[in-house]
């Protein structure tokens, strides 16, 4: 909670108003920046998704084209093997293998004409009839690749491949033979008319390498033997596409990988930057024109009005502003309204000057009466207590005791008791008389303070109060003694330092402020239950001031009321009228170049009042001591 302080009025610097032109410039710059960002986001939201979609379509096209090229490559092998499958010579050869058929159909020349690297005939039980793999470069049979081909064909689901094709009796797929990827074609061996019970399978295999793949796709491509799935990797200018090459079981045996430029994405980015740049330039031009027009039509006329107001403030002369008859807009209307206001202010100034003296005298009288009432309140309490106090011993009883003591026939033991009673009665009477003397002394001090308030009022009403060095502890002790009798019978415990503590203040005003705060604390304690504590602490601050803190255990107040506490007529108690004490105390502290603040944690939690005053200047000898 930040306390509300009645800060000194002197030394305050007027806050310089911020430039309207600067604010408008900041606003226009902010609008331009926000507009540029919004326009960029809008263009990005419109252009980027569309070009991203086009890029995805381009990627899909590359993938489809790659799959079509691979399918066409495998389809050529399937076409060749299909002719061998529906051939009577193949049908008879599986039944009765012959050397002539093998030399004619399995020769390097025949396989070269078919453009295949390997061929094989398998019986229905996958047993081998014949198999050959001719290296196309050396025209020499490669037994290792032949055996790998046969093993792969035996393991492949040939029937499922053919069943999935359109013809139903032939099919194609890709197979991995070590570090070689090849397209395989398979067909059932039947008669030329398609009849007869199939006697086995004929298989043809054609290897595919990166060079062939590049020729098929018309781009620089390579076979990625480690590739296992579709993958698209993008950079700022290119994208690398990997298309899986499926085997007989549908699982990839390799991937066709190639890199293509991101033409569509680059075009989209270029269009976006061109659109943002053009819109930003256009927006900057619009803002520059707006700024110039606002300066010419608004800021300069307002500066003329502000300059005249400055001259009025400095000189105090309520002269009117020169009217610009050419203008009929809102600025001209503002100038005419300003002139009308100046005329009215001039009339009101004359009325205020007439009324100010009477008002000041009235407020001064009200403040004096308030402080006099607070000072007389303990006197009233003391007098009321004295009037209502009964004598310690009944007078008739005492007369009887004295009369009995005057007799000679009273026994000694009885006489001793009567004498002790008479002595106790005299002692009680003396004690009561001493207490009344102390109370009257307190009342006399309160009356002296009332007389001082009344006597010093004329000087304080017309001059700034003189500030002298005075002992804050003595003032607090004196007012605490008086305040004990202003609590309407409440039990209030005071605690304050005993060590003298000098401050720079007006002794009479500081005494009245402390008395007012003690009176308010006592009333708060009574309202909270009738008994409590008032604790006073005095401490030096780091900036050369003295802080007096007055804490009470009274009813406290709502922290939301802090801004209103020092307003004239405000009170935290609904049943109490007035609200002048704190208002006067704050003004008095300001007059003594100090401050007053109040704080509370809430209703029922007590309150603390802090008085801040200047510390008197010390001589070097005093500081050393």
């Amino acid at each position: 909670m930040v306390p509300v302080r009645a800060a000194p009025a002197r030394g305050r610097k007027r806050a310089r108003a911020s430039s309207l032109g600067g604010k408008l410039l900041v606003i226009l710059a902010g609008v331009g920046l926000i507009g540029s960002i919004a326009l960029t986001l809008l263009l990005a939201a419109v252009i980027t998704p569309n070009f991203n979609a086009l890029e995805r379509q381009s990627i899909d096209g590359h993938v489809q084209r790659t799959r079509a090229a691979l399918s066409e490559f495998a389809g050529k092998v399937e076409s060749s093997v299909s002719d061998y499958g529906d051939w009577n010579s193949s049908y008879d050869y599986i039944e009765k293998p012959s050397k002539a058929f093998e030399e004619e159909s399995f020769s390097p020349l025949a396989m070269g004409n078919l453009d295949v690297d390997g061929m094989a005939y398998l019986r229905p039980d996958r047993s081998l009839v014949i198999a050959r793999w001719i290296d196309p470069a050396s025209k020499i049979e490669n037994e290792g690749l032949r055996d790998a081909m046969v093993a792969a064909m035996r393991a492949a689901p040939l029937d499922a491949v053919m069943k999935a094709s359109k013809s139903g009796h032939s099919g194609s797929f890709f197979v991995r033979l070590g570090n070689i990827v090849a397209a395989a074609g398979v067909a059932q061996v039947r008669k030329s008319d398609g009849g007869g019970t199939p006697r086995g399978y004929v298989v043809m295999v054609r290897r595919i390498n990166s060079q062939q793949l590049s020729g098929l796709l018309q781009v620089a491509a390579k076979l990625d033997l480690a590739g296992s799935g579709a993958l698209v990797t993008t950079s700022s200018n290119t994208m690398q596409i990997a298309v899986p090459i499926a085997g007989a079981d549908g699982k990839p045996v390799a991937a066709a990988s190639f890199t293509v430029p991101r033409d569509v994405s680059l075009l989209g980015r270029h269009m976006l930057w061109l659109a943002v740049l053009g819109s930003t330039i256009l927006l900057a031009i619009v803002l520059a024109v707006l700024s110039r027009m606002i300066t010419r039509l608004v800021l300069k006329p307002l500066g003329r009005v502000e300059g005249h107001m400055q001259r009025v403030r400095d000189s105090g002369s309520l002269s009117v502003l020169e009217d610009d008859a050419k203008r009929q807009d809102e600025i001209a209307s503002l100038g005419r309204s300003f002139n009308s206001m100046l005329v009215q202010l001039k009339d009101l100034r004359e009325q205020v000057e007439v009324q100010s003296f009477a008002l000041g005298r009235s407020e001064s009288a009200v403040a004096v009466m308030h402080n006099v009432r607070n000072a007389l309140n303990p006197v009233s309490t003391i007098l009321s207590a004295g009037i209502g106090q009964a004598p310690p011993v009944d007078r008739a009883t005492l007369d009887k005791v004295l009369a009995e003591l005057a007799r000679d026939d009273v026994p000694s033991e009885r006489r001793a008791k009567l004498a002790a009673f008479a002595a106790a009665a005299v002692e009680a009477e003396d004690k009561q008389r001493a207490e009344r003397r102390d109370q009257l002394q307190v009342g006399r001090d309160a009356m002296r303070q009332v007389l001082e308030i009344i006597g010093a009022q004329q000087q304080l009403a017309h001059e700034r109060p003189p500030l002298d060095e005075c002992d804050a502890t003595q003032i607090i002790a004196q007012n605490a003694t008086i305040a004990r009798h202003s609590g309407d019978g409440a039990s209030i415990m005071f605690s304050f330092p005993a060590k003298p503590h000098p401050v720079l203040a007006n002794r009479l005003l500081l005494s009245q402020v402390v008395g007012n705060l003690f009176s308010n604390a006592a009333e708060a304690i009574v309202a909270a239950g009738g008994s409590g504590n008032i604790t006073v602490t005095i401490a030096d601050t780091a900036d050369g001031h003295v802080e007096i803190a007055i804490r009470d255990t009274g009813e406290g107040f709502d922290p939301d009321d802090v801004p209103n506490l020092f307003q004239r007529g405000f009170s935290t108690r609904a049943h109490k009228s007035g609200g002048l004490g704190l208002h006067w105390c704050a003004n008095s502290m300001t007059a003594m170049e100090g401050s007053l603040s109040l704080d509370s944690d809430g209703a029922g939690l007590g309150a603390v009042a802090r008085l801040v005053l200047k510390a008197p200047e010390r001589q070097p000898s005093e500081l050393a001591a």
Side-chain angles (χ1 to χ4, degrees):
M1 175 64 66
V2 178
V4 175
R5 296 184 180 273
R10 294 190 306 175
R12 286 184 178 174
K13 294 183 179 179
R14 294 177 297 179
R16 188 174 181 179
S18 300
S19 171
L20 180 60
K23 288 183 178 180
L24 290 176
L25 181 61
V26 172
I27 292 173
L28 289 177
V31 170
L33 180 60
I34 294 174
S36 179
I37 294 174
L39 189 58
T40 301
L41 294 177
L42 178 62
L43 291 175
V46 173
I47 294 176
T48 303
N50 291 333
F51 278 89
N52 288 340
L54 291 176
E55 187 175 70
R56 286 193 295 271
Q57 292 177 5
S58 175
I59 294 173
D60 293 340
H62 286 297
V63 172
Q64 294 299 329
R65 185 166 59 86
T66 303
R67 289 174 178 171
L70 292 172
S71 178
E72 182 182 359
F73 185 85
K76 290 181 180 180
V77 180
E78 181 184 354
S79 177
S80 298
V81 80
S82 179
D83 292 339
Y84 266 64
D86 293 338
W87 188 22
N88 289 335
S89 296
S90 295
Y91 192 78
D92 295 337
Y93 172 75
I94 291 184
E95 180 69 22
K96 294 179 179 181
S98 65
K99 195 72 172 177
F101 181 84
E102 293 175 358
E103 292 177 352
E104 178 183 359
S105 301
F106 277 79
S107 66
L109 178 61
M111 293 178 63
N113 292 334
L114 292 173
D115 198 13
V116 297
D117 299 301
M119 290 180 57
Y121 278 94
L122 301 176
R123 296 185 181 90
D125 60 356
R126 305 295 177 90
S127 61
L128 179 65
V129 178
I130 187 173
R132 295 193 72 181
W133 184 285
I134 304 298
D135 193 324
S138 62
K139 304 298 182 181
I140 300 175
E141 183 174 1
N142 190 323
E143 296 181 357
L145 290 176
R146 180 196 64 190
D147 296 340
M149 176 187 67
V150 173
M153 294 303 107
R154 287 174 174 173
L158 301 180
D159 295 330
V161 170
M162 292 185 292
K163 186 177 180 180
S165 67
K166 293 180 179 181
S167 63
H169 60 84
S170 64
S172 62
F173 58 93
F174 284 90
V175 65
R176 178 84 169 269
L177 303 176
N179 292 330
I180 294 176
V181 178
V186 60
Q188 290 179 336
V189 179
R190 305 182 303 175
K191 291 182 178 181
S192 299
D193 59 1
T197 302
R199 290 182 174 179
Y201 309 94
V202 57
V203 178
M204 294 183 182
V205 177
R206 180 186 178 188
R207 74 168 69 193
I208 183 171
N209 53 34
S210 298
Q211 184 178 2
Q212 291 172 312
L213 184 61
S214 300
L216 291 173
L217 301 180
Q218 298 300 310
V219 294
K222 66 175 182 178
L223 282 173
D224 184 5
L225 300 180
S228 59
L231 179 64
V232 178
T233 305
T234 60
S235 62
S236 59
N237 297 322
T238 60
M239 54 185 175
Q240 184 176 1
I241 302 174
V243 180
I245 301 176
D249 56 359
K251 297 180 180 179
V253 296
S257 177
F258 54 92
T259 301
V260 294
R262 300 184 64 187
D263 296 332
V264 176
S265 179
L266 291 175
L267 178 60
R269 285 204 296 269
H270 291 160
M271 289 186 62
L272 176 61
W273 283 116
L274 288 175
V276 170
L277 180 61
S279 60
T280 302
I281 293 174
L282 178 61
L283 189 60
I285 294 173
V286 171
L287 292 177
V289 173
L290 282 176
S291 177
R292 185 175 181 84
M293 297 305 296
I294 289 174
T295 301
R296 179 181 176 184
L297 298 178
V298 178
L299 297 182
K300 286 186 177 180
L302 287 179
R304 180 168 163 266
V305 174
E306 196 276 337
H308 185 77
M309 294 176 66
Q310 180 70 32
R311 289 191 293 273
V312 169
R313 182 170 62 248
D314 294 339
S315 64
S317 175
L318 299 177
S319 59
V320 297
L321 176 68
E322 183 180 354
D323 191 9
D324 188 359
K326 295 181 180 180
R327 298 193 61 162
Q328 299 297 327
D329 55 10
E330 289 81 359
I331 299 296
S333 177
L334 174 64
R336 287 189 286 271
S337 299
F338 177 65
N339 287 338
S340 299
M341 182 187 68
L342 290 177
V343 174
Q344 294 179 4
L345 286 176
K346 187 175 182 180
D347 295 338
L348 290 174
R349 175 193 282 180
E350 295 176 356
Q351 297 178 18
V352 169
E353 289 176 352
V354 174
Q355 297 175 358
S356 61
F357 177 75
L359 179 61
R361 186 167 55 184
S362 174
E363 287 192 352
S364 177
V366 172
V368 171
M369 294 302 296
H370 174 80
N371 291 329
V372 169
R373 179 184 64 81
N374 283 344
L376 288 177
N377 186 49
V379 177
S380 175
T381 302
I382 292 170
L383 294 178
S384 299
I387 294 173
Q389 188 176 16
V393 180
D394 183 59
R395 183 65 185 182
T397 304
L398 184 59
D399 291 341
K400 290 181 180 180
V401 169
L402 294 176
E404 191 172 352
L405 284 173
R407 291 165 46 193
D408 296 333
D409 57 346
V410 177
S412 58
E413 184 178 354
R414 173 67 175 170
R415 183 178 296 277
K417 290 182 179 180
L418 292 175
F421 177 81
V426 172
E427 182 180 358
E429 185 68 27
D430 291 341
K431 183 178 179 180
Q432 186 182 57
R433 186 179 297 108
E435 290 177 355
R436 288 180 179 177
R437 186 186 306 108
D438 293 340
Q439 293 175 356
L440 290 175
Q441 180 67 32
V442 174
R444 185 182 66 181
D445 292 341
M447 287 298 299
R448 183 184 299 113
Q449 187 169 351
V450 171
L451 295 176
E452 289 180 350
I453 294 172
I454 297 174
Q457 176 57 32
Q458 184 176 2
Q459 178 182 0
L460 295 177
H462 299 283
E463 302 179 353
R464 196 171 193 86
L467 303 182
D468 300 313
E469 181 177 334
C470 53
D471 185 6
T473 304
Q474 180 183 4
I475 294 174
I476 291 170
Q478 180 181 357
N479 282 276
T481 302
I482 298 175
R484 286 191 178 95
H485 298 278
S486 60
D488 294 334
S491 175
I492 300 176
M493 179 69 70
F494 278 87
S495 175
F496 51 85
K499 180 181 177 181
H501 212 121
V503 295
L504 195 62
N506 181 276
R507 187 190 62 81
L508 180 59
L509 281 183
L510 181 58
S511 178
Q512 293 179 69
V513 170
V514 172
N516 268 284
L517 296 177
F518 279 169
S519 177
N520 289 345
E523 291 180 2
I525 290 174
V526 171
S531 62
N533 300 325
I534 297 177
T535 304
V536 183
T537 58
I538 306 175
D540 295 318
T541 64
D543 56 353
H545 289 75
V546 177
E547 182 182 273
I548 303 173
I550 302 175
R551 294 177 173 82
D552 66 71
T553 58
E555 60 180 344
F557 53 84
D558 190 341
D560 294 338
D561 291 336
V562 169
N564 304 319
L565 291 176
F566 301 112
Q567 293 182 6
R568 181 183 177 88
F570 179 82
S571 177
T572 57
R573 301 187 187 91
H575 63 279
K576 182 180 179 182
S577 61
L580 180 64
L582 290 178
H583 174 75
W584 181 88
C585 289
N587 290 338
S588 298
M589 291 299 297
T590 300
M592 292 188 290
E593 302 180 17
S595 64
L596 168 64
S597 65
L598 290 174
D599 195 9
S600 175
D601 291 333
L605 300 177
V608 55
R610 291 184 175 86
L611 304 173
V612 178
L613 293 164
K614 287 185 176 180
E617 295 183 358
R618 294 300 181 189
Q619 298 298 325
S621 58
E622 295 177 325
L623 294 175

